[in-house]
Amino acid sequence: MFPLKDVEMGAFTFFASALPHDVCGSNGLPLTPNSIKILGRFQILKTIIHPRLCQYVDISRGKHERLVVVAEHCEQSLEDLLRERKPVSYSKVLCIAFEVLQGLQYMNKHGIVHRALSPHNILLDRKGHVKLAKFGLYHMTAHGDDVDFPIGYPSYLAPEVIAQGISKTTDHVPNEKPLPSGPKSDVWSLGIILFELCVGRKLFQSLDVSERLKFLLTLDCVDDTIIVLAEEHGCLDIIKELPENVIDLLKKCLTFHPSKRPTPDELMQDKVFSEVSPLYTPFTKPVSLFSSSLRCADLTLPEDISQLCKDVNSDYLAERSIEEVYYLWCLAGGDLEKELINKEIIRSKPPICTLPNFLFEDGESFGQGRDRSSLLDDTTVTLSLCQLRNRLKDVGGEAFYPLLEDDQSNLPHSNSSNELSAAATLPLIIRERDTEYQLNRIVLFDRLLKAYPYKKNQIWKEARVDIPPLMRGLTWAALLGVEGAIHAKYDAIDKDTPIPTDRQIEVDIPRCHQYDELLSSPEGHAKFRRVLKAWVVSHPDLVYWQGLDSLCAPFLYLNFNNEALAYACMSAFIPKYLYNFFLKDNSHVIQEYLTVFSQMIAFHDPELSNHLNEIGFIPDLYAIPWFLTMFTHVFPLHKIFHLWDTLLLGNSSFPFCIGVAILQQLRDRLLANGFNECILLFSDLPEIDIERCVRESINLFCWTPKSATYRQHAQLPKPTSDNSGVRSSTPYFSECPDTPKTDLSRESIPLNDLKSEVSPRISAEDLIDLCELTVTGHFKTPTKKTKSSKPKLLVVDIRNSEDFIRGHISGSINIPFSTAFTAEGELTQGPHTAMLQSFKGKVIVIVGNSAKYTAEFAAHLVKMKYPRVCILDGGINKIKPTGLLTVPSPQI
Amino acid sequence: MKKNRERFCSREREFVYKFKIGSQCLELRVPLKFPVQENVSYLHGRLMLLHSLPCFIEKDLKEALSQFIEGESLRDYDREAEASLEAVKSGEVDLHHLASTWAKAYAEEDHIRACKPEEPSWDEDFADVYHDLIHSPASETLLNLEHNYFVSISELIGERDVELKKLRERQGIEMEKVMQELGKSLTDQDVNSLAAQHFESQQDLENKWSNELKQSTAIQKQEYQEWVIKLHQDLKNPNNSSLSEEIKVQPSQFRESVEPNGRIYEEQRKLEESFTIHLGAQLKTMHNLRLLRADMLDFCKHKRNHRSGVKLHRLQTALSLYSTSLCGLVLLVDNRINSYSGIKRVFNSQGKEGLLFHEFRASGLLSESVKQVDLYPDTQVKNRVLANLNSGNRNGGSEDKSKNADRNYLNILPGEFYITRHSNLSEIHVAFHLCVDDNVKSGNITARDPAIMGLRNILKVCCTHDITTISIPLLLVHDMSEEMTIPWCLKRAELVFKCVKGFMMEMASWDGGISRTVQFLVPQSISEEMFYQLSNMLPQIFRVSSTLTLTSKH
């Protein structure tokens, strides 16, 4: 990423052509609006970064197919040089020519042709270097197909471009599509521009458009294009004065026949540039985060470190990349449309004036005049950074260059730091819209991510606060631990050969998060297809289940220009959270998952659980898409982001808590309704407050003993050596359950047994922890410290009193199962039952020597709406070997 | 040219790569289809995998492959370019035609590069001026002026009606006398001639009045527009203001107007119920729905008896006239646009009183009469209508045809609609006149019925033209009749609800889910019980948003 430096941001707008009324594509679905197609194609342009090109930053869709493109911009252009009406010195002409060719060559390497080269699209930065603007217009409009206006400027069109004419092709006949213009047509345009610079005037000004074009086509018959052009404009003497190599260059550019004209690449190697080319060093693309080559390979520190500090300038913002500046500009109240309206580029007619008079049944309308405000005006408007700079004027340099030490005190100590820590307590939605706060977070994350994987722990730590939206893609990758040569890996996967799953993928993609512009564009569909196929092909033991598409969507959206990263993230996500969910026969995995889920409902919300069980509304009916897609099927992208920001910090049992939190938001409606209404309610899930959902699921997670969500089909814990580094930094809520298995851990039980139990089992290990028999503080979390360091817990021993006296867990109470309940199912009164009642709402662990009785006892308690009831796995016998049982004595 | 293109396009070429393994010389041949769509690195990866190529040729192969593709593509570009140049040279493609196509494209689509000065457009300028004024202190004056014009026209209409009535009465008496004399001193001949005479004089009178109306509205319109422009200019340079003085001095109140006939149903209780709904599976968009028991024309009519409300309603409508949130209304009409009866007649008289002073292009307004609405502005449309009506057997040139069209094609088909724009109806700016036939009265229309398709097109126009509030007759009828039983009503309401829901979901993909208000109107004559049945049905079809509960718990 290059810093913004002294360039500016500009915006221009145009309309995509409207689609014909009610035409369907070959797949029977409505056609994608042209503006969305353009938006999809635009994305790749953002990655084409070269000092000679105006970097593209953003595209946005307005009403009625309007598009606004944001890109780097400079106020000066060759147009200004021409306006002086003086010939430009030949050495300058050569430099300009070479710089333009550099830009063209780089574009061509990425398969892009300019086609709209003209003096006002060749901008000059403050140092007088060339920057090509609007270089992606021809590419993003599908070679002009998706817009009504012609691309290019009449005087500068190459003869073959004119000869090819304007032909609109439609989606239906892709094979008849003529080839677009090649890279050589830009060389012609450059030739005309250089000619104009040499003679100091614009060509063809006296001719109207059609005469100009006719004249250009007749140049075929002449021997020397340069002479004819010069004669036509009465500047033969100037041309004759030009040095040999400039004439040579012009001649080469203005070769009528494209087959004889050089490409930009060839022309750059030409000897006419022998004086100029040594002045320029070839451009090398900076190495990105996940590349196989060493990022620091070319990094050299100067001998004298103090030299680094030499060119300190106080304009820190200019040192940030243009994407960041644009993002902050938007946050600081920048409004593209308003800027364009102020400059009178957007002048829309009141809609009432453009209504048609009559419509046929097939939707064809009449009496609708053409809105002249929809015509093209491709003037670029400079976006003023004043407002943003004003907003950030109090932000000190420390915010732009935070120190990344491992200790706690790395909040920037500028005068706004107080404000900043105050901002950190505000709701997420507000934080995400706060300019200063986001600036701080972006800079911090940018630096941390540059130091990934070295700074992995600190990324985890900061991600627990929040993740700045601009950095989300890379941060997620870091949280998922993506590493290695992901590009090479992805390139090597065969994403093209047809496989049997293709049909299903093809059906699912046009139904997956299509409200989103990026994902509904044809470009998005193609990327979807490739990433999904790559995953299916490279995981032969797993299969494509519907829902994988939804799971792919957030990763693809965040890494739209980096399929390899999207693929890598998805491949890392699935084993962590959805281990074996995509087996060909995944029923045992899912069944176990859902059973644990219903135990979690009973654990946290017995009343709801009782009701749902009563009406037979079991999780199988609604929760499969939740967990199979990790909620990506039920929520829109912007909610998924907030949910997953937290999910990625938790372990594989966190999703249970999210599920319970969702149910709790719908609690009143579920409790009030019967089976049919519940089915209806979930068929079209009502709006869920996602911030509340996240908050509540964290809270639920803190109350859940880690072994309560034990699943035998979960991913086996990795060898500790592998992630010991991560482990130390992950206890967001509590330890991951991937601690090594010991005798005191939970043992797997058959699914049917699991299903028969209403309440979850917990391991002896957990019990010991919870009773503080050995270790303390497992439920400590950074956020919950003050509330209660440890939930109070009651152990209920249901063996008969003789056994109890022989030895029990200290602090436990004895309510023998045989006498616990009356015939009506009420608790029998007694000192112990009173104790039990007083502990309602705390964690209650039932201990016994018969699994059947303990489960029944627990079920009884759940019936009586006791929350947080669980069973000791393996019963009292598990504890016996530990020697922790005590024999009651008068005082303990 | 087409032939050439096909030849160059989908063309397969073979990429040959030779490499050595030890002493063995191997050759890789890959047929490639040009132009190559696939990413070179993916292609390369696939080749490596498919042919299990050794890794030491990886880099070399990639280079060779990309060079091959680049070179061949360039050659294709050249060939294609040369072919098109050749086509022009050989005259296969007409040079002049080519140049004029380009010139036309530049002229029509972009005003900067073609350097064509903009032609001033009256309605747009007027729109700006009006929009400025209505948002200035002058708004009240403006509305008063409009109101005064409106009152004077309605007085004129009243006079006309009185005079016509008098004439008819007189003629009736005369005719009675003649009838008594029939067979005595007068013959049938005499009666007939008298009748003819009467008819003629009636016609004369009607013509006289309609001319007068036309004239005075034209005068009013001109006066009004000139006044508006002048006022605007005066406001711009306040030093020589004669009119702005007028504004400062509060103008007289609305002129009293005579309420001709208070409608009976105004006394009937207006029932209404509002809903906020969410549409969409993942991303939800919020919309407002309202179920109303009211007359369609209530939205048009100025309620002259509550005067304070009039001004507010008027102001509200006038403020948003040139904005991007318009209000629309669907009126059901029969297929004869030249006759006016029923709702059309009533609407027309409203429209006539509520004169439209704003010159809208192609004058799609009802201010004169539906008869004169220029429905088919160009011959192309006429021809289509002609084809539609299957009467293409007329002879004569297109001139002749268009004349015929005027006379004969005034019928529109069900599902088609015309749009009129109004500046001064009480609550709407746009009226969609949707043509329906007697079929809507039957109980078995489907979602493919032209009337429903018409609704869809109407909603689409709403989308493209920023009409954010639209009122729809829920039962697709304006008046109840005997065959419309309770089951009929429920069935129809369900159909329209469901279809509108579908269309609204579709709209979200057209405009990105802008929040809208849709009002469903049921006729006044429907029972209260029926109304509540319908309002119970609505939340079953639309997902009503959950109420936001504010608790201190969280």
Side-chain angles (χ1 to χ4, degrees):
Chain A
M1 295 303 113
F2 292 102
L4 181 69
K5 296 289 182 193
D6 53 5
V7 295
E8 285 168 281
M9 292 192 299
F12 71 97
T13 179
F14 62 91
F15 278 99
S17 46
L19 286 176
H21 181 83
D22 272 355
V23 182
C24 283
S26 51
N27 56 358
L29 295 170
L31 291 179
T32 318
N34 281 324
S35 57
I36 290 189
K37 291 190 198 164
I38 293 175
L39 188 124
R41 264 184 240 110
F42 171 87
Q43 302 304 320
I44 195 71
L45 294 171
K46 291 200 277 195
T47 64
I48 298 174
I49 301 169
H50 188 276
R52 298 283 92 82
L53 300 175
C54 282
Q55 188 188 339
Y56 280 103
V57 182
D58 188 34
I59 188 167
S60 71
R61 271 176 85 218
K63 256 191 194 169
H64 311 317
E65 298 288 277
R66 180 188 288 286
L67 288 158
V68 181
V69 173
V70 182
E72 251 182 312
H73 184 61
C74 310
E75 296 281 10
Q76 287 276 318
S77 72
L78 288 191
E79 194 78 17
D80 298 294
L81 282 183
L82 283 171
R83 209 166 284 139
E84 289 166 21
R85 305 195 68 85
K86 273 189 298 208
V88 178
S89 76
Y90 76 92
S91 59
K92 177 115 201 227
V93 168
L94 276 183
C95 282
I96 288 173
F98 191 75
E99 290 185 2
V100 171
L101 286 172
Q102 275 186 315
L104 289 176
Q105 187 227 20
Y106 190 79
M107 281 164 52
N108 294 160
K109 220 172 82 192
H110 290 82
I112 288 167
V113 172
H114 196 303
R115 243 302 282 279
L117 218 51
S118 82
H120 71 263
N121 281 341
I122 301 179
L123 310 182
L124 299 172
D125 66 13
R126 298 266 164 90
K127 295 194 184 80
H129 290 301
V130 160
K131 266 187 188 293
L132 299 183
K134 303 211 174 86
F135 68 89
L137 197 60
Y138 192 57
H139 169 82
M140 69 173 113
T141 57
H143 317 298
D145 278 354
D146 291 346
V147 286
D148 288 327
F149 56 86
I151 296 198
Y153 300 83
S155 308
Y156 306 98
L157 291 178
E160 70 270 18
V161 173
I162 302 169
Q164 274 166 350
I166 306 166
S167 56
K168 288 272 171 238
T169 48
T170 50
D171 280 17
H172 308 289
V173 277
N175 7 330
E176 271 186 47
K177 210 169 176 172
L179 270 182
S181 306
K184 287 179 178 177
S185 52
D186 288 339
V187 175
W188 173 279
S189 312
L190 175 63
I192 297 281
I193 294 165
L194 294 178
F195 191 98
E196 290 184 336
L197 289 175
C198 288
V199 299
R201 55 182 287 188
K202 293 198 126 193
L203 297 187
F204 314 120
Q205 289 302 299
S206 55
L207 303 174
D208 74 17
V209 174
S210 76
E211 282 170 41
R212 262 183 237 188
L213 300 178
K214 278 184 215 165
F215 176 80
L216 284 168
L217 279 178
T218 54
L219 288 173
D220 183 19
C221 319
V222 300
D223 302 330
D224 193 335
T225 323
I226 313 291
I227 302 295
V228 174
L229 279 177
E231 275 173 349
E232 183 76 16
H233 293 87
C235 45
L236 202 54
D237 38 338
I238 307 177
I239 288 296
K240 285 202 168 139
E241 298 281 294
L242 288 174
E244 191 68 25
N245 56 352
V246 176
I247 288 285
D248 200 26
L249 174 63
L250 288 181
K251 269 191 184 148
K252 282 198 163 117
C253 289
L254 295 176
T255 312
F256 185 83
H257 285 283
S259 47
K260 290 171 197 146
R261 206 183 302 149
T263 63
D265 192 34
E266 286 159 6
L267 198 55
M268 265 176 82
Q269 318 297 331
D270 199 277
K271 62 178 188 308
V272 296
F273 291 115
S274 51
E275 300 164 36
V276 184
S277 57
L279 301 175
Y280 297 94
T281 48
F283 170 74
T284 47
K285 205 179 166 188
V287 186
S288 64
L289 184 56
F290 295 102
S291 71
S292 43
S293 50
L294 204 56
R295 266 179 288 156
C296 58
D298 300 324
L299 191 70
T300 44
L301 284 177
E303 292 284 306
D304 181 11
I305 292 287
S306 63
Q307 272 196 320
L308 275 180
C309 314
K310 237 183 189 173
D311 50 16
V312 171
N313 76 45
S314 57
D315 189 7
Y316 302 115
L317 192 64
E319 296 298 317
R320 304 307 309 171
S321 74
I322 189 161
E323 291 97 338
E324 289 171 22
V325 174
Y326 173 69
Y327 184 78
L328 294 171
W329 180 82
C330 289
L331 287 182
D335 182 343
L336 286 176
E337 291 219 0
K338 211 179 270 164
E339 298 279 332
L340 288 162
I341 288 169
N342 287 347
K343 294 275 160 47
E344 293 199 335
I345 305 294
I346 295 180
R347 277 166 305 176
S348 44
K349 220 170 178 179
I352 193 149
C353 296
T354 58
L355 274 165
N357 283 336
F358 188 82
L359 259 89
F360 285 111
E361 203 205 324
D362 60 9
E364 215 172 314
S365 65
F366 290 96
Q368 190 174 14
R370 191 162 160 70
D371 186 357
R372 88 195 142 103
S373 57
S374 75
L375 300 187
L376 177 76
D377 180 347
D378 66 351
T379 315
T380 305
V381 170
T382 309
L383 305 178
S384 161
L385 290 179
C386 287
Q387 203 179 344
L388 177 62
R389 286 189 195 282
N390 209 18
R391 191 74 205 270
L392 298 177
K393 67 176 185 291
D394 296 330
V395 178
E398 300 91 337
F400 287 91
Y401 299 99
L403 285 177
L404 298 185
E405 285 163 271
D406 273 325
D407 62 63
Q408 283 289 311
S409 59
N410 68 333
L411 269 183
H413 294 289
S414 64
N415 41 3
S416 63
S417 75
N418 283 338
E419 234 171 274
L420 207 65
S421 45
T425 61
L426 290 170
L428 184 64
I429 313 242
I430 297 174
R431 275 181 276 158
E432 286 192 348
R433 279 168 183 66
D434 185 301
T435 318
E436 291 93 335
Y437 184 77
Q438 283 301 313
L439 172 77
N440 279 288
R441 301 296 291 170
I442 288 170
V443 172
L444 181 67
F445 270 81
D446 182 46
R447 302 206 102 201
L448 286 174
L449 286 167
K450 274 183 183 148
Y452 176 82
Y454 171 61
K455 284 287 180 192
K456 200 171 178 176
N457 291 354
Q458 215 169 337
I459 295 176
W460 272 84
K461 201 179 101 196
E462 289 299 334
R464 253 169 253 148
V465 180
D466 60 21
I467 298 176
L470 190 65
M471 299 297 191
R472 189 170 274 132
L474 285 178
T475 311
W476 279 14
L479 294 180
L480 285 166
V482 173
E483 269 176 64
I486 56 168
H487 290 279
K489 227 188 210 165
Y490 184 68
D491 283 351
I493 300 172
D494 176 6
K495 299 169 282 289
D496 202 50
T497 311
I499 51 169
T501 322
D502 283 355
R503 260 178 57 97
Q504 190 59 51
I505 292 178
E506 215 56 44
V507 171
D508 288 348
I509 289 172
R511 286 166 183 76
C512 179
H513 291 282
Q514 293 300 293
Y515 54 85
D516 182 74
E517 294 157 342
L518 270 185
L519 299 183
S520 65
S521 64
E523 205 70 21
H525 286 190
K527 282 170 189 281
F528 248 132
R529 206 172 298 134
R530 279 196 294 268
V531 174
L532 286 174
K533 279 190 74 161
W535 190 86
V536 173
V537 168
S538 54
H539 294 81
D541 51 327
L542 302 177
V543 296
Y544 177 91
W545 281 101
Q546 268 184 308
L548 193 68
D549 50 330
S550 302
L551 203 54
C552 176
F555 294 120
L556 186 62
Y557 179 88
L558 290 175
N559 305 302
F560 199 77
N561 277 324
N562 195 344
E563 279 169 52
L565 189 58
Y567 166 78
C569 286
M570 191 166 108
S571 309
F573 182 88
I574 289 175
K576 187 171 175 198
Y577 294 98
L578 294 166
Y579 186 68
N580 275 347
F581 266 61
F582 293 95
L583 279 179
K584 191 157 176 53
D585 177 20
N586 60 2
S587 60
H588 57 288
V589 184
I590 296 217
Q591 280 305 316
E592 187 195 35
Y593 205 92
L594 294 177
T595 311
V596 173
F597 179 55
S598 48
Q599 286 183 350
M600 289 312 292
I601 303 173
F603 183 77
H604 290 293
D605 194 343
E607 190 183 353
L608 187 63
S609 162
N610 291 340
H611 175 72
L612 294 182
N613 288 336
E614 212 166 276
I615 61 171
F617 193 60
I618 50 174
D620 308 49
L621 295 171
Y622 58 89
I624 295 177
W626 292 8
F627 296 119
L628 190 68
T629 66
M630 275 303 135
F631 308 98
T632 51
H633 187 71
V634 278
F635 291 127
L637 282 167
H638 66 98
K639 290 190 174 175
I640 297 170
F641 291 149
H642 287 162
L643 191 64
W644 278 25
D645 277 352
T646 311
L647 176 75
L648 291 175
L649 298 166
N651 59 34
S652 62
S653 56
F654 188 61
F656 292 120
C657 301
I658 299 175
V660 176
I662 293 175
L663 286 180
Q664 289 204 320
Q665 274 194 31
L666 305 171
R667 194 168 190 270
D668 295 342
R669 282 205 245 179
L670 289 172
L671 284 177
N673 283 318
F675 182 82
N676 288 342
E677 291 84 358
C678 288
I679 288 278
L680 270 178
L681 186 71
F682 277 74
S683 67
D684 181 8
L685 196 71
E687 193 88 18
I688 299 284
D689 177 350
I690 211 73
E691 213 184 339
R692 200 178 124 198
C693 178
V694 169
R695 209 168 46 227
E696 279 170 7
S697 40
I698 294 177
N699 190 26
L700 292 173
F701 192 91
C702 294
W703 275 101
T704 313
K706 59 182 177 173
S707 59
T709 54
Y710 167 85
R711 292 179 299 124
Q712 58 172 319
H713 297 297
Q715 190 185 19
L716 291 174
K718 287 181 203 158
T720 33
S721 60
D722 182 44
N723 56 357
S724 57
V726 185
R727 274 273 309 287
S728 61
S729 68
T730 48
Y732 182 32
F733 315 111
S734 72
E735 285 295 309
C736 315
D738 53 0
T739 43
K741 202 171 155 68
T742 61
D743 290 343
L744 296 178
S745 302
R746 269 187 66 176
E747 279 159 24
S748 45
I749 53 168
L751 184 64
N752 279 337
D753 290 356
L754 189 69
K755 271 189 173 175
S756 67
E757 289 171 11
V758 178
S759 296
R761 295 181 174 208
I762 63 165
S763 66
E765 217 170 22
D766 262 356
L767 183 70
I768 294 165
D769 280 352
L770 292 173
C771 294
E772 290 183 318
L773 293 177
T774 46
V775 201
T776 55
H778 259 295
F779 283 105
K780 272 183 191 163
T781 66
T783 48
K784 292 279 165 201
K785 229 170 238 172
T786 49
K787 201 178 161 189
S788 66
S789 64
K790 193 176 92 68
K792 286 267 172 61
L793 165 132
L794 182 71
V795 180
V796 179
D797 204 323
I798 60 160
R799 293 174 299 163
N800 53 41
S801 41
E802 293 90 64
D803 288 341
F804 184 77
I805 286 164
R806 268 180 227 134
H808 61 237
I809 301 161
S810 68
S812 62
I813 57 167
N814 181 230
I815 305 176
F817 181 72
S818 48
T819 58
F821 298 99
T822 62
E824 292 86 48
E826 301 286 319
L827 272 174
T828 45
Q829 292 306 311
H832 292 313
T833 46
M835 177 100 160
L836 182 62
Q837 266 153 9
S838 72
F839 268 81
K840 191 169 182 174
K842 310 275 158 51
V843 174
I844 296 165
V845 188
I846 316 293
V847 181
N849 46 15
S850 148
K852 191 170 159 259
Y853 290 149
T854 35
E856 241 171 80
F857 191 94
H860 265 294
L861 287 186
V862 170
K863 264 261 143 7
M864 283 182 288
K865 297 177 187 171
Y866 275 86
R868 306 196 178 112
V869 177
C870 47
I871 308 166
L872 178 65
D873 184 44
I876 199 80
N877 294 335
K878 271 263 164 149
I879 303 286
K880 270 178 188 161
T882 60
L884 288 167
L885 293 187
T886 52
V887 180
S889 53
Q891 284 296 324
I892 296 174
Chain B
M1 199 138 144
K2 228 174 203 171
K3 257 186 259 157
N4 292 347
R5 266 179 195 151
E6 271 162 31
R7 208 174 63 223
F8 292 127
C9 267
S10 50
R11 193 172 153 152
E12 246 183 31
R13 261 169 242 144
E14 203 166 42
F15 166 64
V16 183
Y17 178 72
K18 286 181 185 152
F19 59 100
K20 266 188 173 171
I21 296 178
S23 57
Q24 233 181 335
C25 237
L26 294 173
E27 202 179 58
L28 175 70
R29 285 178 176 274
V30 188
L32 286 178
K33 208 171 170 190
F34 277 83
V36 178
Q37 304 287 345
E38 206 185 340
N39 184 322
V40 181
S41 342
Y42 298 161
L43 185 62
H44 168 250
R46 198 150 59 92
L47 288 180
M48 294 290 295
L49 195 77
L50 245 55
H51 299 279
S52 344
L53 298 174
C55 59
F56 55 83
I57 63 160
E58 194 174 337
K59 267 197 182 144
D60 193 44
L61 175 67
K62 192 165 185 178
E63 211 156 285
L65 187 64
S66 48
Q67 252 171 25
F68 174 78
I69 290 175
E70 217 169 278
E72 287 297 318
S73 307
L74 260 181
R75 217 161 298 152
D76 275 349
Y77 282 134
D78 284 353
R79 228 172 278 157
E80 171 105 0
E82 291 292 348
S84 52
L85 282 175
E86 190 55 38
V88 175
K89 201 177 169 190
S90 65
E92 200 185 316
V93 174
D94 181 41
L95 179 62
H96 300 280
H97 179 70
L98 187 69
S100 63
T101 331
W102 275 97
K104 203 171 140 235
Y106 277 108
E108 279 179 0
E109 301 300 339
D110 97 50
H111 61 201
I112 292 293
R113 292 180 295 187
C115 307
K116 209 172 75 181
E118 288 172 19
E119 74 279 17
S121 123
W122 161 256
D123 56 346
E124 208 172 310
D125 292 345
F126 187 75
D128 287 344
V129 167
Y130 183 83
H131 199 70
D132 278 358
L133 279 185
I134 203 76
H135 286 88
S136 75
S139 64
E140 183 157 7
T141 324
L142 210 61
L143 290 183
N144 283 345
L145 187 70
E146 275 182 29
H147 185 78
N148 291 347
Y149 282 142
F150 153 72
V151 170
S152 69
I153 287 290
S154 54
E155 279 172 4
L156 218 55
I157 290 172
E159 269 175 58
R160 178 197 68 177
D161 290 346
V162 170
E163 212 166 299
L164 272 175
K165 199 175 148 206
K166 270 188 200 155
L167 180 72
R168 283 200 198 101
E169 275 168 12
R170 214 172 53 230
Q171 286 178 341
I173 296 165
E174 244 176 79
M175 186 53 95
E176 230 166 84
K177 273 185 197 159
V178 172
M179 289 307 277
Q180 279 167 3
E181 290 293 308
L182 183 65
K184 292 174 192 167
S185 62
L186 294 168
T187 59
D188 285 357
Q189 192 79 37
D190 291 323
V191 176
N192 283 349
S193 72
L194 184 71
Q197 209 182 328
H198 281 172
F199 182 70
E200 230 164 78
S201 54
Q202 262 187 40
Q203 284 275 297
D204 281 350
L205 190 68
E206 269 181 42
N207 282 343
K208 186 194 127 211
W209 273 106
S210 78
N211 277 337
E212 199 164 316
L213 274 172
K214 217 194 270 181
Q215 219 170 2
S216 55
T217 52
I219 292 168
Q220 281 188 353
K221 192 175 201 164
Q222 203 188 347
E223 259 180 26
Y224 176 79
Q225 285 171 346
E226 280 168 7
W227 188 81
V228 165
I229 299 284
K230 188 157 178 294
L231 180 63
H232 186 250
Q233 282 165 351
D234 281 5
L235 280 179
K236 263 189 187 161
N237 18 311
N239 31 353
N240 57 344
S241 62
S242 52
L243 276 165
S244 49
E245 283 304 311
E246 263 177 57
I247 295 160
K248 280 172 204 150
V249 182
Q250 272 299 314
S252 61
Q253 284 294 312
F254 279 144
R255 260 173 63 192
E256 280 298 325
S257 62
V258 218
E259 181 64 40
N261 45 345
R263 281 179 208 273
I264 324 115
Y265 56 65
E266 256 180 272
E267 273 76 63
Q268 202 174 341
R269 203 155 67 88
K270 197 172 173 180
L271 291 174
E272 70 173 82
E273 199 146 346
S274 301
F275 304 86
T276 305
I277 58 152
H278 283 298
L279 283 181
Q282 288 152 338
L283 188 72
K284 304 200 188 285
T285 53
M286 201 165 75
H287 303 274
N288 290 312
L289 299 185
R290 190 175 296 134
L291 187 66
L292 273 174
R293 186 178 76 176
D295 196 278
M296 272 290 170
L297 296 173
D298 285 352
F299 291 101
C300 312
K301 180 162 56 105
H302 294 283
K303 297 177 190 79
R304 272 168 294 198
N305 31 1
H306 347 93
R307 263 216 317 280
S308 58
V310 171
K311 234 197 269 177
L312 294 178
H313 266 305
R314 272 295 298 127
L315 187 64
Q316 167 73 15
T317 313
L319 283 176
S320 55
L321 177 63
Y322 290 109
S323 75
T324 52
S325 60
L326 299 172
C327 302
L329 172 80
V330 178
L331 282 176
L332 304 170
V333 294
D334 56 23
N335 61 349
R336 295 175 301 277
I337 47 170
N338 57 343
S339 78
Y340 56 112
S341 56
I343 194 125
K344 269 192 284 186
R345 188 189 178 90
V346 187
F347 181 78
N348 191 29
S349 77
Q350 299 279 347
K352 204 177 276 182
E353 287 168 8
L355 246 183
L356 188 62
F357 295 107
H358 302 256
E359 184 86 60
F360 286 128
R361 181 180 36 74
S363 88
L365 52 109
L366 274 191
S367 61
E368 309 292 345
S369 87
V370 187
K371 247 187 278 186
Q372 284 147 357
V373 168
D374 184 10
L375 269 184
Y376 305 122
D378 47 50
T379 42
Q380 185 207 351
V381 190
K382 280 168 199 153
N383 292 341
R384 264 214 56 180
V385 178
L386 217 105
N388 265 3
L389 295 182
N390 244 345
S391 46
N393 52 355
R394 311 218 165 257
N395 43 12
S398 66
E399 271 308 295
D400 200 27
K401 265 185 191 168
S402 61
K403 263 184 202 160
N404 286 332
D406 284 339
R407 222 174 299 134
N408 294 309
Y409 311 116
L410 292 169
N411 288 342
I412 54 177
L413 294 176
E416 299 176 343
F417 59 92
Y418 52 92
I419 301 173
T420 56
R421 285 162 282 171
H422 308 272
S423 67
N424 57 350
L425 296 182
S426 72
E427 285 173 61
I428 60 157
H429 306 110
V430 181
F432 297 95
H433 305 258
L434 175 64
C435 175
V436 292
D437 53 10
D438 284 342
N439 203 19
V440 292
K441 292 204 178 89
S442 78
N444 48 10
I445 70 167
T446 63
R448 307 298 298 174
D449 192 85
I452 301 279
M453 294 322 286
L455 273 186
R456 178 170 178 267
N457 288 333
I458 286 173
L459 286 177
K460 192 158 187 180
V461 171
C462 289
C463 247
T464 51
H465 291 86
D466 300 316
I467 297 168
T468 48
T469 305
I470 177 92
S471 308
I472 297 170
L474 177 64
L475 303 177
L476 298 179
V477 289
H478 288 308
D479 294 301
M480 299 302 287
S481 63
E482 273 172 21
E483 67 261 37
M484 296 164 192
T485 54
I486 290 175
W488 182 93
C489 288
L490 290 176
K491 197 177 161 197
R492 175 62 55 85
E494 187 181 343
L495 177 77
V496 175
F497 277 145
K498 283 188 173 161
C499 290
V500 169
K501 181 183 178 187
F503 301 151
M504 284 173 81
M505 297 190 38
E506 226 181 327
M507 278 160 92
S509 69
W510 296 329
D511 64 3
I514 291 162
S515 180
R516 281 169 203 286
T517 305
V518 179
Q519 310 197 86
F520 296 103
L521 268 73
V522 291
Q524 284 283 341
S525 45
I526 214 162
S527 71
E528 225 165 282
E529 188 192 349
M530 185 70 225
F531 179 85
Y532 287 114
Q533 254 178 313
L534 293 176
S535 81
N536 282 337
M537 181 195 282
L538 195 144
Q540 285 166 16
I541 292 169
F542 291 93
R543 151 90 49 225
V544 179
S545 71
S546 52
T547 45
L548 186 67
T549 39
L550 294 172
T551 49
S552 52
K553 211 165 61 183
H554 303 291

